[in-house]
Amino acid sequence: MNRAQLESLMVPRVGVTVDIHPRDLPIGLIGTAGGALALWADAPAEIAVPVALLIVLDIRVRRWRRRT
């Protein structure tokens, strides 16, 4: 893929909203501790860090349509 193709893929789309919020404190601590434990146990960082982020962050993707 060239740069123009990559840039066309990263353009925000109309009708899609992505909300990213930290979760409540107990769940955040569990996710952080789980990620730290996985790294301490020599798990690959490419796996441990994204999984910990999915636990710590509340990610919502919503699609909406314009009403005419």
Side-chain angles (χ1 to χ4, degrees), residues 25-37 48 51-53 55-56:
L25 186 59
I27 298 295
L29 291 175
I30 291 169
T32 303
L37 179 64
V51 170
L53 286 175
I55 294 171
V56 171

Side-chain angles (χ1 to χ4, degrees), residues 1 10 34-36 40 46 56:
M1 271 188 182
M10 292 189 276
W40 182 63
E46 297 84 15
V56 171

Side-chain angles (χ1 to χ4, degrees), residues 1-22:
M1 271 188 182
N2 62 21
R3 185 178 175 141
Q5 290 173 329
L6 282 175
E7 287 178 356
S8 69
L9 292 175
M10 292 189 276
V11 173
R13 303 202 184 264
V14 174
V16 176
T17 303
V18 179
D19 297 325
I20 302 174
H21 300 282

